[in-house]
Amino acid sequence: MSHTKWFSLEEANSMLPFVDQELKKMQALKRTFEQKYMELRVKKNELAEKPGTEKDPFFMQEAELEFLQIEARGLIQHFQQTGVELKDIDTGLVDFPALIGGQEVLLCWKQGEDRIRYYHGKEDGFAGRKPISD
């Protein structure tokens, strides 16, 4: 287990443009994947209705889906190497491990917020967010 990187509030805030950009890439990939996956399911269902068709006409589409998954995994792994914790891709929720008064906490940011305004304890989760006093 690698040592946790602690972020100061300044550091975490200065990373938000990067985090936002990476989240947008992941969200776009996820949307593309979901869209292609649904299209493929519809086609497979249609094919199931027709008897005696070729064995696997969906090889290319399945390969494409696999490739999208690999790409997404790569993005996520690269992101995690920064030490920022990815909580939810869809809502763009991330945590920055930090120390406040010697306590381990997580600075909490959600896409769309202009800066980090909240933190929570390691066990508290998003619902336990407390405002950061300046």
Side-chain angles (χ1 to χ4, degrees):
M1 186 66 202
S2 61
H3 167 69
T4 305
K5 173 175 170 41
W6 308 114
F7 293 87
S8 69
L9 190 56
E10 292 75 25
E11 268 181 308
N13 273 317
S14 71
M15 277 186 76
L16 293 182
F18 162 80
V19 168
D20 189 48
Q21 183 192 328
E22 292 300 296
L23 280 166
K24 285 187 172 123
K25 285 186 212 165
M26 291 180 222
Q27 288 160 345
L29 262 176
K30 196 164 183 267
R31 273 196 304 275
T32 305
F33 178 86
E34 282 164 2
Q35 190 187 340
K36 288 182 183 298
Y37 179 76
M38 287 311 294
E39 284 168 17
L40 183 60
R41 278 190 49 182
V42 169
K43 285 181 184 163
K44 281 187 168 179
N45 289 339
E46 284 169 1
L47 191 74
E49 314 289 304
K50 302 184 191 127
T53 38
E54 53 177 313
K55 273 209 280 293
D56 190 5
F58 303 117
F59 176 76
M60 288 304 288
Q61 280 146 301
E62 280 170 346
E64 194 182 4
L65 283 175
E66 212 166 307
F67 186 74
L68 284 168
Q69 276 182 306
I70 291 166
E71 201 181 338
R73 241 193 321 262
L75 268 178
I76 290 167
Q77 280 167 350
H78 174 70
F79 185 83
Q80 285 169 334
Q81 281 162 2
T82 62
V84 184
E85 296 178 12
L86 183 60
K87 293 298 170 194
D88 187 343
I89 291 175
D90 292 317
T91 56
L93 192 59
V94 298
D95 285 336
F96 295 83
L99 289 171
I100 294 183
Q103 290 292 306
E104 288 185 32
V105 298
L106 296 163
L107 303 174
C108 180
W109 183 73
K110 190 167 181 273
Q111 223 171 0
E113 293 175 347
D114 61 339
R115 61 192 171 91
I116 295 166
R117 300 176 177 280
Y118 302 96
Y119 73 98
H120 55 80
K122 285 189 85 104
E123 308 306 318
D124 299 334
F126 185 75
R129 299 211 304 176
K130 304 176 191 68
I132 293 168
S133 52
D134 292 324

